[in-house]
Amino acid sequence: MRWRPSPEALRLALPVMALAALLVSVFVMRPNVMGYNGLHLLFKLGIPIALATLAQMVIMSVNDLDLSMGSFVSFVACVTATWLVDAPLIGALMLAGAIAVYAALGMVIAARGLPSIVVTLGMSFVWAGLAVLVLPTPGGTAPGWVAAVMGARPALMPVGIAGSILIAVLAHLLIMRSSFGVLIRGVGGNERSVSRAGWSVLLARGAAYATAATFAVASGITLVGLMTSADANIALRYTLLSIAGVILGGGEFTGGRVSAIGAVVGALTLLLAGSFLTFLNVPPDWQIGAQGMILILILALRLLLVRLERRGARA
Amino acid sequence: MSLLRKPWIWSFVAAGLVWFVTIMATGGASTIGLTQATLTFAAFSVIVGTGQMFVITLGPGNIDLAVPATMTLAGTVALKYMDTQDALILPGLGIAIGIGIGVGFVNYALIKALRIPPIIATLAMSFIIQSAAIATNRGLRIKPPDAMADFTTGLTLGIPNVALVALGITGVAWVVLMRSVYGRQISAIGQSLPAARMAGLPVDGLRLATYVLCATLAAVCGFLLACFSGGAALNMGAEYLLMSIAVVIIGGTAVAGGDSNVPGIWGASLFMFLVVSMLNTYGFGAGVRLILTGLIIISVILLASGRQGATR
């Protein structure tokens, strides 16, 4: 019998191949990157981006979309750089409160059948405003323990890569392998059958939002650990980056079809695309545009793969 | 009380209330100035919002995130071409419209050919357009032709000219949406895409036309805004990304598509600008202003959902 890869594996193959291709191109162009320090710099920002992408993925697994991700992570960064340093207890309470707000939002969205895009659009203003109130001018410092963790130099691989792998495995276990993960993906797949089976869709959505907020809080804290200071706009681009990362990693907008490992790989691919373009000497004017083209290219490849997958299913 | 049942009436009520509260703060001294400023700035949101509304009408997932970049590119290229010469105004407008049509075509080509969800397709596209605008602009700020600058900042019978242009555009949009075959067809697509396809509607052509329409209106708005503000800036479209979506939804258009209305966009645009100026008048800082803006959007959507629930 011939071995045929599972649809999940096929789905994951493309983002992994894209990441590998980018990495190889970077190595060819700049051989001196191929070392501990080079990789450390390339993937330095990997952990916060991967965490924000996972947060967006959890929201997307219940068929919603979070347009406030960037401003929420910025808000968390501002709290981390100020309150978490000066008064850790109050800072931690503020972050816990923010997670509770997310859980409440998830339940309100479920109870009233509201469009998540609009609610999170409104919340993006709220988080941005709170961030400005917490930290009116750029500054602050990273809490000692965060800076220590993010500045660690593990023996085998740089902290950016090791952390991303660890996060991907943990998120995979939580979202793809635990019964909680099955429940929230079930809400995205078929809400009615989940509620007929005796689960509370309201609580499931609330829990999904709280999980997403927890990932996003971790993203903001680790980001401050790397940047050692914060400002109210520090992570605004994470909103669009996180959505693009999930899609690149094989996730879908609807139907609870997401992949945790894919999301992390997608996030790292987008991160690497930035360095790739710099090494390619793309003029700065066209850097954003080239990122858009990479996004389109990878999605075109994915369409091809999906067709192959279908053909495989039919055969 | 049929007027009270219209989904768009509440945005006007809210706008009126905020207007009243704001002029009270200054004892009525700034009534005319405030009203004219509101009409001017609301006009720009109205024009982009109208385009976004047509796209949102197409149903869940349809949204155009390339609007800000399209505005910037159209404004930049048109102003560079006109090079402050009054004689080149019409060709300049033509170039802006051409950019809009081109962007709309590519947007839908990506959505259709690559089966990319509209959010991602228009997002990727907006990166490319933004780069094109940066490459064209190169940090230069070219002034608009004098006649255009005078027109966009001028008044006719006490009403700002750009508000009259926006009024004309929304008038046409209302007829197109409510009375034309095209408008009824895109509403049908928004209500049920499979049903529309079964009924034999040319779904792809209609969706293409809608994305082209949205990008064109964004381009026209970018052209006017660049002339109004004395030159194109690279970030001039930025605030219109969220604004174009917010005014449509607050105006009472169904987010799920298929049920849109034009008057609400005016109410919501006036309301959004008035809220900012009210909070400015009362001396709130940037942080509080942002928080209140967000809370207002959420309250409106909560109220709107309650209203739909009651009539169902």
Side-chain angles (χ1 to χ4, degrees):
Chain A
M1 209 178 95
R2 213 158 58 88
W3 176 77
R4 201 188 289 284
S6 71
E8 282 76 24
L10 254 181
R11 218 159 233 278
L12 198 55
L14 178 66
V16 171
M17 283 186 321
L19 182 61
L22 270 177
L23 200 56
V24 169
S25 327
V26 169
F27 283 164
V28 169
M29 279 186 291
R30 289 282 191 283
N32 53 351
V33 175
M34 219 181 325
Y36 191 97
N37 280 326
L39 287 174
H40 174 71
L41 290 175
L42 269 187
F43 290 101
K44 198 178 165 209
L45 285 170
I47 295 177
I49 294 182
L51 284 166
T53 309
L54 283 170
Q56 187 69 259
M57 185 202 71
V58 176
I59 302 273
M60 279 165 74
S61 71
V62 292
N63 290 355
D64 285 351
L65 205 58
D66 188 351
L67 292 185
S68 65
M69 189 57 71
S71 46
F72 181 66
V73 173
S74 304
F75 163 72
V76 172
C78 289
V79 173
T80 307
T82 52
W83 287 96
L84 218 50
V85 179
D86 303 333
L89 189 67
I90 299 178
L93 281 176
M94 283 169 81
L95 295 180
I99 295 177
V101 169
Y102 253 81
L105 278 178
M107 290 195 272
V108 169
I109 287 173
R112 302 293 295 265
L114 299 178
S116 62
I117 293 184
V118 188
V119 176
T120 55
L121 178 73
M123 284 311 291
S124 75
F125 288 97
V126 175
W127 298 124
L130 287 172
V132 171
L133 288 187
V134 170
L135 190 64
T137 51
T141 48
W145 57 277
V146 180
V149 171
M150 297 310 290
R153 296 181 76 84
L156 279 177
M157 54 182 104
V159 67
I161 299 179
S164 300
I165 294 176
L166 182 71
I167 293 163
V169 170
L170 288 179
H172 180 77
L173 292 176
L174 177 68
I175 304 298
M176 312 307 282
R177 289 280 175 265
S178 76
S179 51
F180 167 72
V182 172
L183 173 64
I184 59 171
R185 284 185 293 129
V187 170
N190 191 337
E191 197 172 280
R192 192 171 289 173
S193 66
V194 169
S195 79
R196 291 258 167 88
W199 295 96
S200 161
V201 171
L202 198 71
L203 290 181
R205 270 183 191 267
Y209 271 72
T211 312
T214 313
F215 278 123
V217 164
S219 168
I221 294 178
T222 52
L223 182 61
V224 175
L226 289 169
M227 310 294 263
T228 65
S229 69
D231 69 87
N233 302 321
I234 192 166
L236 285 190
R237 64 203 183 93
Y238 278 20
T239 303
L240 299 178
L241 262 183
S242 63
I243 299 174
V246 177
I247 298 296
L248 264 185
E252 304 267 349
F253 279 103
T254 53
R257 271 191 105 164
V258 292
S259 156
I261 296 175
V264 173
V265 173
L268 295 183
T269 309
L270 285 175
L271 178 69
L272 203 55
S275 318
F276 172 70
L277 294 171
T278 317
F279 292 147
L280 211 58
N281 289 328
V282 172
D285 292 354
W286 286 99
Q287 285 242 352
I288 332 172
Q291 275 190 340
M293 286 182 210
I294 290 184
L295 195 59
I296 294 174
L297 188 73
I298 297 180
L299 288 169
L301 283 173
R302 183 170 138 194
L303 177 72
L304 266 172
L305 247 137
V306 169
R307 292 231 168 112
L308 283 178
E309 186 187 323
R310 287 221 187 101
R311 201 173 298 160
R314 234 182 278 137
Chain B
M1 297 295 271
S2 64
L3 195 63
L4 283 181
R5 285 171 185 272
K6 299 279 188 208
W8 48 260
I9 192 74
W10 300 104
S11 59
F12 281 96
V13 172
L17 271 176
V18 180
W19 178 81
F20 184 73
V21 173
T22 313
I23 55 168
M24 283 334 280
T26 54
S30 61
T31 310
I32 293 176
L34 175 75
T35 311
Q36 283 172 347
T38 308
L39 283 172
T40 308
F41 284 98
F44 297 117
S45 323
V46 165
I47 299 174
V48 277
T50 305
Q52 192 72 269
M53 180 206 71
F54 277 102
V55 170
I56 290 177
T57 310
L58 288 175
N62 282 293
I63 209 151
D64 187 352
L65 297 187
V67 159
T70 311
M71 286 173 67
T72 310
L73 182 66
T76 312
V77 175
L79 257 58
K80 192 171 181 180
Y81 171 78
M82 294 189 293
D83 198 20
T84 71
Q85 296 173 46
D86 285 349
L88 294 176
I89 289 177
L90 275 183
L93 179 63
I95 284 176
I97 291 176
I99 287 174
I101 294 175
V103 167
F105 260 99
V106 180
N107 273 341
Y108 192 67
L110 287 177
I111 295 169
K112 182 64 191 171
L114 297 183
R115 314 254 182 86
I116 307 180
I119 294 188
I120 295 289
T122 53
L123 171 65
M125 193 55 199
S126 80
F127 287 161
I128 297 172
I129 307 167
Q130 185 72 26
S131 270
I134 297 174
T136 331
N137 181 293
R138 297 226 145 267
L140 289 174
R141 201 176 167 88
I142 299 168
K143 283 200 181 314
D146 289 338
M148 264 324 277
D150 292 344
F151 173 76
T152 46
T153 50
L155 305 166
T156 303
L157 302 175
I159 300 171
N161 289 331
V162 280
L164 293 173
V165 172
L167 198 63
I169 289 176
T170 45
V172 174
W174 186 82
V175 173
V176 166
L177 182 72
M178 306 309 281
R179 294 281 176 269
S180 80
V181 176
Y182 162 77
R184 300 287 81 200
Q185 283 177 335
I186 63 164
S187 296
I189 291 177
Q191 280 157 21
S192 172
L193 182 61
R197 196 165 268 151
M198 299 275 192
L201 297 186
V203 171
D204 286 325
L206 291 167
R207 293 178 71 194
L208 170 68
T210 309
Y211 276 91
V212 169
L213 178 64
C214 176
T216 307
L217 282 176
V220 169
C221 181
F223 177 81
L224 291 173
L225 185 60
C227 292
F228 172 78
S229 44
L234 283 176
N235 60 350
M236 66 181 226
E239 66 176 296
Y240 289 92
L241 175 58
L242 296 184
M243 192 58 87
S244 71
I245 304 171
V247 295
V248 174
I249 306 302
I250 292 177
T253 289
V255 192
D259 180 18
S260 297
N261 75 83
V262 176
I265 296 177
W266 266 104
S269 299
L270 295 170
F271 173 67
M272 291 301 284
F273 179 78
L274 281 165
V275 166
V276 175
S277 44
M278 173 184 78
L279 298 173
N280 273 334
T281 313
Y282 281 89
F284 286 110
V288 178
R289 220 161 55 214
L290 283 166
I291 295 173
L292 286 175
T293 311
L295 291 179
I296 287 166
I297 295 179
I298 295 174
S299 331
V300 168
I301 192 75
L302 265 172
L303 282 174
S305 73
R307 202 184 58 231
Q308 280 165 7
T311 50
R312 217 178 277 149

